[in-house]
Amino acid sequence: MRAPLPKAQPGLDRILARQAALTIASAQPALLWQDRFRMVLDSAFREDAVSLEQVAQRLALSPRTLQRRLGEHGTTWRDEVEAVRQEHTMELLRATDLPLRSVAARVGYSDMCALRRAVRRWEGRAPRDIRNEAGVTATPMGADAGN
């Protein structure tokens, strides 16, 4: 492979190697199925349209096929929804001063107590501690005292 090509122009190898490196560096990686699924689920979550049927439809799959695909990747619908819910919850706690009642409603929890239990399960501490660490102070509301 290192043998010179007859009639090759001197320096052509360096030009081609540089061009190949630039092409590789600018190439966009192909999305894996899991990445595409997570993007669709995240979008559905933000639109408050999280259901197995709706996400499957957006991916042009039947709900059962979506469940099988998730199983092939070692996860479940419930696990994936919980992971997205956790990401959104932590984002809201760290970046906004929304009352816990509003955070709970936005991420699909029935009340603040359910939100607090979930945050303790995920992080091992209270939502108040997460906000304090992030430098966010919650909007004072009577029911939200004690985050």
Side-chain angles (χ1 to χ4, degrees):
M1 289 187 71
R2 300 266 181 221
L5 295 174
K7 300 182 183 176
Q9 294 182 358
L12 182 59
D13 61 332
R14 288 188 304 277
I15 294 170
L16 291 175
R18 212 172 320 141
Q19 183 61 38
L22 288 172
T23 301
I24 290 170
S26 66
Q28 301 246 340
L31 282 179
L32 298 174
W33 181 86
Q34 304 98 305
D35 297 328
R36 186 165 172 256
F37 165 76
R38 200 41 108 73
M39 287 172 48
V40 169
L41 180 57
D42 188 64
S43 173
F45 195 89
R46 290 185 189 279
E47 296 166 13
D48 199 23
V50 179
S51 77
L52 177 65
E53 292 75 19
Q54 290 175 333
V55 171
Q57 183 179 21
R58 290 180 184 197
L59 291 166
L61 300 171
S62 73
R64 182 64 192 123
T65 299
L66 175 55
Q67 288 176 319
R68 265 195 309 274
R69 278 265 178 98
L70 291 170
E72 290 167 3
H73 289 91
T75 188
T76 65
W77 169 254
R78 184 176 297 206
D79 290 343
E80 291 298 317
V81 170
E82 184 72 4
V84 170
R85 180 176 280 153
Q86 180 180 357
E87 289 171 17
H88 283 263
T89 300
M90 300 312 291
E91 179 183 317
L92 289 170
L93 290 175
R94 289 183 176 124
T96 72
D97 64 351
L98 287 171
L100 284 187
R101 181 181 305 117
S102 298
V103 172
R106 284 190 182 197
V107 297
Y109 283 109
S110 56
D111 58 33
M112 292 182 306
C113 291
L115 176 70
R116 283 190 189 107
R117 281 192 305 273
V119 171
R120 281 198 183 277
R121 185 175 67 245
W122 300 328
E123 299 289 318
R125 53 201 174 132
R128 171 186 53 237
D129 299 334
I130 292 163
R131 283 195 154 157
N132 289 342
E133 182 181 288
V136 176
T137 55
T139 304
M141 287 188 78
D144 280 24
N147 281 341

